[in-house]
Amino acid sequence: MVEVFKTNITKQKKAEQIIEKLQQKFSGYKINFDLEDCDNILRVENTTGQIDYEVLVQIISDDGFYIEPLKDELSMTTQNKSEI
């Protein structure tokens, strides 16, 4: 499963610190930031199952940062077409 989040993390050093914290808690997750994207994207992948969304959000929020899941626009477009 892959989840993509919008954040307000803009500094590479802070992104690296967040990744380190998340990796300590979720050693099996693949985690990276795209700070060049206007939404400062955090991408999290768990190849063995679901992502522990609540704990992940709590870790980032506890550091004083904003995090919000990005909606999957492709599936929304597909869903809208099927409703027509």
Side-chain angles (χ1 to χ4, degrees):
M1 164 158 270
V2 175
E3 291 285 343
V4 180
F5 301 91
K6 175 181 181 174
T7 75
N8 65 344
I9 297 168
T10 58
K11 304 289 185 197
Q12 185 64 38
K13 184 165 180 70
K14 188 43 123 171
E16 290 168 5
Q17 291 170 345
I18 294 288
I19 289 172
E20 187 176 322
K21 279 186 181 184
L22 294 174
Q23 289 286 291
Q24 288 174 359
K25 182 70 176 172
F26 308 110
S27 61
Y29 288 13
K30 294 178 184 175
I31 304 168
N32 61 62
F33 276 92
D34 180 357
L35 299 181
E36 292 182 18
D37 185 277
C38 64
D39 289 326
N40 300 310
I41 297 295
L42 169 64
R43 183 179 180 277
V44 181
E45 180 179 2
N46 181 3
T47 59
T48 61
Q50 299 291 322
I51 292 170
D52 193 341
Y53 172 81
E54 290 179 12
V55 173
L56 184 136
V57 168
Q58 189 63 50
I59 289 170
I60 293 174
S61 296
D62 285 351
D63 258 16
F65 292 101
Y66 169 83
I67 180 169
E68 169 189 333
L70 280 180
K71 294 182 172 97
D72 184 352
E73 292 180 18
L74 181 59
S75 67
M76 288 176 62
T77 302
T78 305
Q79 180 182 9
N80 290 342
K81 287 181 181 178
S82 66
E83 293 173 356
I84 297 175

